[in-house]
Amino acid sequence: MSDEYIFPSRLFDSQSHVFTVSELTVLVKEVLENVFASVAVIGEVADLSVARSGHCYFTLKDEGAQLPAVIWRSQRERLTFDLHDGLQVFCRGRLDVYPPHGRYQLIVEEIEPSGWGAKELALRRLKERLAREGLFDAARKRPLPRWPRRIGVVTSPTGAAIHDFLTALRGRFRAVDVLIIPVKVQGEGAAEEITEAFQWLEKYDWNLDVIVLTRGGGSIEDLWAFNEESVVRAVASSRIPVVSAVGHEIDVTLADLAADVRALTPTDAASKVVPSQEELEALLTSYAMRLRAHLNLRLKAVRTQLEGLASRPVFRFPKDLIYNRSQQIDEWERRLQEAGDRLLERKRMTLSGVAARLESLSPLGVLSRGYSMTLTYPQGAVVREAASLSPGDVVQTRLHRGSFLSRVEKINGEGEPVRLDRPV
């Protein structure tokens, strides 16, 4: 009770004064609201109900007493956890009296889970934060190798999980190696050992194709190590695909959400990481049948193509091609000869025409018509006028047939020389 609060003066004569119910209720309400203006209470939620107005009504209780409580709609809408019956909570608020019922109640202004409820709230907040970072996104999850050769198993070496996993593995596919990394899977230090195991696998190259993180079922406290942030980040950052098989089918940890593949049980994990012997045999049989069918189709196509080629004349009568080519060469030779003869004839005619023109212009042609040609002797220059000669010069006269030499004696007055003719 606050030392500074002063009771109403009318309370001092309460023995002689008779109160109405409303008056007394108002007095009690005034006292409670002033003395218990801020209180903190721990209790268990019971009789939880939400009115149509959105306000939330419930009872806080422990082994010896109960306390009505109310959360107004505006406060309830800001809750970050699921408020339900049986949840231990820590509340902070003020006491109030509701006059129509004449009972006091706690007006809750702050509320959060206490004890294990606080851990659930922390887990929810961690899940939301990691989800925002993308650790649970389906896009970052990788497919498992179809034919793994070596599998790493992070688990307790003495638990039932490893026994179930190995039994299922041997029953499905024996041609695979298993590397067991022993760790604690619950209790103090379990999260640290699991994280260190993944770091160890990352540091050294063990030629692993897939990692299986597994343990058997248990309570949420038993599985809590697989909700620790360090374990979740180790699973998400693994360069090797991870299969998480933690607990039973209904148990879902953050490690399950971060893994590339979630298996419901250790046995289910074995069925996901390796094929069964029967499936492998059926697959190989299917491949063999498809290969045989493909080869038969290919053989048929090649045979049809070969028959088509064999039916062609070039293969049926191979010499015909040679004969045809020989005949074609003969034809080309004949055409070439004819073309050469035509060309030669045209050239001969052209030459005859040119010779005729030259013959008409030749001095010899003039001589055949009775003319002669006088040349200086022995120079052979044509004498065109008498003035070019002197007495005593020897000249040669060429006729149509033969020639003779003459000596010039004198030149007549008309400029014509007088010759002394003498056969050459």
Side-chain angles (χ1 to χ4, degrees), residues 311-324:
S311 63
R312 292 185 178 181
V314 67
F315 293 106
R316 296 177 60 191
F317 309 103
K319 292 184 179 180
D320 286 356
L321 179 62
I322 300 175
Y323 296 151
N324 290 336

Side-chain angles (χ1 to χ4, degrees), residues 205-222:
D205 185 11
W206 296 99
N207 295 322
L208 298 180
D209 297 306
V210 64
I211 298 174
V212 176
L213 176 63
T214 185
R215 67 146 289 159
S219 65
I220 188 171
E221 294 91 340
D222 295 335

Side-chain angles (χ1 to χ4, degrees), residues 17-305:
H17 182 79
V18 177
F19 297 97
T20 65
V21 174
S22 297
E23 289 176 338
L24 183 58
T25 301
V26 169
L27 287 174
V28 172
K29 176 179 176 65
E30 183 179 353
V31 172
L32 288 177
E33 289 180 352
N34 285 277
V35 176
F36 299 99
S38 178
V39 294
V41 184
I42 293 178
E44 179 183 331
V45 176
D47 303 325
L48 178 70
S49 65
V50 179
R52 295 181 60 182
S53 62
H55 305 321
C56 180
Y57 300 93
F58 61 96
T59 300
L60 281 176
K61 68 177 184 178
D62 57 18
E63 294 83 357
Q66 296 184 356
L67 172 63
V70 59
I71 302 177
W72 303 129
R73 175 182 176 180
S74 59
Q75 179 65 27
R76 184 183 67 84
E77 291 177 344
R78 292 197 295 268
L79 294 181
T80 59
F81 61 95
D82 182 23
L83 187 64
H84 56 83
D85 289 345
L87 180 65
Q88 287 284 334
V89 293
F90 171 82
C91 300
R92 186 179 296 279
R94 56 187 175 82
L95 287 183
D96 179 47
V97 174
Y98 184 56
H101 291 172
R103 66 178 185 178
Y104 75 100
Q105 61 185 3
L106 177 66
I107 306 299
V108 178
E109 297 173 345
E110 298 178 15
I111 183 171
E112 63 181 26
S114 64
W116 183 250
K119 295 189 69 174
E120 289 181 328
L121 176 61
L123 176 61
R124 186 176 296 108
R125 290 175 177 172
L126 175 61
K127 178 180 178 181
E128 293 173 353
R129 177 162 58 85
L130 296 180
R132 287 194 298 270
E133 293 183 23
L135 266 67
F136 307 146
D137 289 350
R140 57 163 295 277
K141 297 182 183 295
R142 297 159 295 183
L144 300 181
R146 191 169 188 181
W147 312 108
R149 293 173 297 178
R150 201 172 199 203
I151 301 172
V153 183
V154 179
T155 189
S156 170
T158 59
I162 187 62
H163 176 268
D164 294 343
F165 177 80
L166 293 178
T167 300
L169 197 69
R170 286 194 297 266
R172 290 180 61 84
F173 192 72
R174 292 179 175 270
V176 63
D177 294 333
V178 178
L179 174 65
I180 299 176
I181 302 91
V183 295
K184 290 179 63 176
V185 292
Q186 73 179 65
E188 184 178 356
E192 289 77 7
E193 288 194 15
I194 296 172
T195 303
E196 291 175 358
F198 274 90
Q199 294 172 349
W200 182 71
L201 291 175
E202 290 290 320
K203 184 176 181 181
Y204 301 101
D205 185 11
W206 296 99
N207 295 322
L208 298 180
D209 297 306
V210 64
I211 298 174
V212 176
L213 176 63
T214 185
R215 67 146 289 159
S219 65
I220 188 171
E221 294 91 340
D222 295 335
L223 304 179
W224 193 257
F226 298 90
N227 289 320
E228 294 288 350
E229 183 174 359
S230 62
V231 173
V232 179
R233 291 191 179 278
V235 171
S237 63
S238 174
R239 60 181 174 81
I240 304 170
V242 178
V243 176
S244 179
V246 177
H248 297 305
E249 182 176 354
I250 60 174
D251 301 320
V252 181
T253 66
L254 298 186
D256 292 328
L257 301 179
D260 296 285
V261 175
R262 184 207 170 205
L264 303 180
T265 62
T267 301
D268 184 45
S271 68
K272 291 183 180 299
V273 296
V274 296
S276 69
Q277 195 76 23
E278 292 76 11
E279 291 175 356
L280 180 58
E281 292 175 356
L283 182 62
L284 293 177
T285 301
S286 174
Y287 285 163
M289 293 175 62
R290 290 169 58 185
L291 180 60
R292 187 178 296 108
H294 177 75
L295 290 177
N296 287 335
L297 289 176
R298 182 61 179 166
L299 182 61
K300 184 181 295 184
V302 172
R303 183 181 291 111
T304 302
Q305 184 180 12

Side-chain angles (χ1 to χ4, degrees), residues 335-348:
R335 291 167 60 184
L336 182 61
Q337 181 66 38
E338 291 178 353
D341 291 343
R342 288 194 297 270
L343 179 61
L344 184 59
E345 183 62 26
R346 287 198 301 269
K347 296 301 182 181
R348 183 181 291 110

